[in-house]
Amino acid sequence: MASVTLRNIRKAYDDNEVMRDINLDIQDGEFVVFVGPSGCGKSTLMRMIAGLEDITGGDLQIDGTRMNDVPPAKRGIAMVFQSYALYPHMTLYDNMAFGLKLAGTKKPEIDVAVRNAAKILHIDHLLERKPKQLSGGQRQRVAIGRAITRKPKVFLFDEPLSNLDAALRVKMRLEFARLHDELKTTMIYVTHDQVEAMTLADKIVVLSAGNLEQVGSPNMLYHAPANRFVAGFIGSPKMNFLEGIVQSVSANGVLVKYETGETQLVLVEPGRAKEGDKVTVGIRPEHLHIDVADYGVSARIMTVESLGDAAYLYAESSVAPDGLIARIPPLERHEKGATIRLGATPDHCHLFNSDGQAFQRKIVEVLAA
Ligand SMILES: Nc1ncnc2c1ncn2[C@@H]1O[C@H](COP(=O)(O)OP(=O)(O)OP(=O)(O)O)[C@@H](O)[C@H]1O
Ligand SMILES: [Mg+2]
């Protein structure tokens, strides 16, 4: 087990800077998930930690030791990729034993390591099979098993479940949680899947275009995103953004006025906000309600999508360039083209300044506990 520390890490391919000044502290035994849009640098960061990619600037430490120039095999790390290339002509047993054999480990020791990993992953009854005789999920488990046999100090997983179907992903997600509980090894995990990130992570790291946007617990990122990017990235469907200006500031928060003349009170610390400042109100779909008594903006219903257990109402409004989405009870009936009023209670709203930075919500300590 080990801590991983990144200090001012940079990466450039020739003149193209793809990672900028990344600082991150991963504690011993933590499960850390990297998220961010395609091309933001998640894999690059992982590969630098693994030693598969040179570090252009900054320091990488594992358990307090500088690792920048240490070869991959000596870093105590095991990495599992999305494509988990198994050797097709070898049995599962041999696939899992291969790395240890290469490292010159003695046979009895290999046997213990392979059987132990297979047991942890519930594939001990399949050891004599070849990869083509397995399901996708079972193959993925062999790839993880191969990593476990090496007893790494840190596991790196780069989108390990993205080749699997939805049901299998859920199953494997639970397996990952169990695996982490059981091994208690530091794990770094990349995913595009919101649910995987929210459920597996002790800590989520949000990246965008080579910058670290925010690090925090899933609850913290959901309830107290530091900026508009994180607010829009975490949560699905994404947060609604409504453009307005500050009408007044009081002990109750900030009163925002939309160009329609309608208003929304937002419960945040006003900081330096003053009358006339351009701001953006953020409201999650589950908090955007129809015909709220005091606050809201008129919008025209575009369509309603029913998901069985809930429904999403899509509406358009001049103050929300990306449109509005409200989560509503499944059987509510709404007519396309009708005008409604959409708003939220002040404690459910977020507020961002014109640079996209979030105002501090007054109820964050409670929500993020
Ligand atoms: N060998 C390379 N040479 C030049 N640029 C590269 C190289 N590898 C990656 N990049 C660039 O670095 C950036 C980050 O790439 P990276 O693969 O880390 O993204 P990612 O976040 O893992 O994306 P995805 O979610 O699609 O896997 C991208 O802009 C990519 O084009
Ligand atoms: Mg990637």
Side-chain angles (χ1 to χ4, degrees), residues 75-101:
R75 292 190 185 191
I77 271 174
M79 187 154 172
V80 177
F81 300 90
Q82 174 183 353
S83 55
Y84 26 83
L86 300 176
Y87 299 106
H89 58 287
M90 289 187 194
T91 62
L92 298 202
Y93 186 100
D94 291 332
N95 262 289
M96 285 176 26
F98 192 68
L100 293 180
K101 251 187 216 162

Side-chain angles (χ1 to χ4, degrees), residues 8-287:
N8 310 107
I9 292 282
R10 290 189 304 113
K11 175 71 185 175
Y13 292 105
D14 302 322
D15 291 344
N16 184 18
E17 196 163 58
V18 297
M19 302 275 9
R20 264 169 241 102
D21 209 26
I22 303 292
N23 287 289
L24 182 62
D25 289 295
I26 298 173
Q27 312 298 331
D28 184 15
E30 231 172 4
F31 200 124
V32 174
V33 176
F34 291 174
V35 297
S38 188
C40 69
K42 303 178 294 294
S43 298
T44 304
L45 199 52
M46 276 231 171
R47 293 169 57 81
M48 285 195 284
I49 296 171
L52 303 172
E53 205 67 75
D54 287 338
I55 297 172
T56 309
D59 279 332
L60 165 71
Q61 296 174 2
I62 297 177
D63 254 353
T65 308
R66 190 173 188 270
M67 286 285 157
N68 293 47
D69 305 314
V70 175
K74 298 246 160 70
R75 292 190 185 191
I77 271 174
M79 187 154 172
V80 177
F81 300 90
Q82 174 183 353
S83 55
Y84 26 83
L86 300 176
Y87 299 106
H89 58 287
M90 289 187 194
T91 62
L92 298 202
Y93 186 100
D94 291 332
N95 262 289
M96 285 176 26
F98 192 68
L100 293 180
K101 251 187 216 162
L102 278 188
T105 310
K106 297 217 169 62
K107 258 193 172 167
E109 208 178 309
I110 295 180
D111 194 60
V112 171
V114 169
R115 291 189 191 283
N116 180 41
K119 206 160 142 211
I120 290 173
L121 295 164
H122 304 305
I123 46 172
D124 37 348
H125 57 299
L126 302 172
L127 286 173
E128 294 316 314
R129 292 216 199 156
K130 301 233 169 109
K132 68 165 192 265
Q133 297 166 311
L134 300 177
S135 73
Q138 289 168 334
R139 269 181 234 168
Q140 181 58 291
R141 269 180 250 188
V142 180
I144 298 166
R146 208 163 43 177
I148 294 177
T149 56
R150 298 181 44 202
K151 295 210 181 78
K153 292 198 276 187
V154 182
F155 282 100
L156 303 180
F157 299 107
D158 195 350
E159 301 196 48
L161 305 185
S162 55
N163 282 340
L164 307 180
D165 71 37
L168 202 47
R169 284 184 80 121
V170 173
K171 196 165 161 213
M172 287 302 292
R173 186 176 86 215
L174 296 170
E175 295 279 322
F176 268 99
R178 192 181 56 79
L179 192 66
H180 184 244
D181 277 350
E182 202 162 320
L183 300 176
K184 299 189 168 47
T185 310
T186 311
M187 294 187 177
I188 308 178
Y189 188 104
V190 171
T191 183
H192 275 113
D193 186 301
Q194 294 267 340
V195 181
E196 276 172 30
M198 294 299 285
T199 54
L200 288 173
D202 294 314
K203 202 147 90 182
I204 297 179
V205 176
V206 184
L207 298 163
S208 105
N211 296 308
L212 197 156
E213 296 286 343
Q214 191 175 2
V215 180
S217 69
N219 267 338
M220 197 67 193
L221 295 201
Y222 194 80
H223 295 297
N227 55 48
R228 209 178 136 154
F229 178 83
V230 175
F233 192 80
I234 301 285
S236 176
K238 75 197 255 305
M239 187 184 280
N240 296 289
F241 294 115
L242 302 95
E243 311 297 339
I245 58 165
V246 174
Q247 171 156 316
S248 62
V249 172
S250 73
N252 293 331
V254 175
L255 186 66
V256 177
K257 186 177 171 184
Y258 300 124
E259 68 171 29
T260 56
E262 296 159 300
T263 58
Q264 173 72 56
L265 183 65
V266 181
L267 192 59
V268 290
E269 302 291 347
R272 281 196 288 268
K274 56 180 191 315
E275 206 182 307
D277 283 355
K278 273 193 174 172
V279 286
T280 304
V281 176
I283 305 174
R284 296 206 179 273
E286 64 269 34
H287 297 138

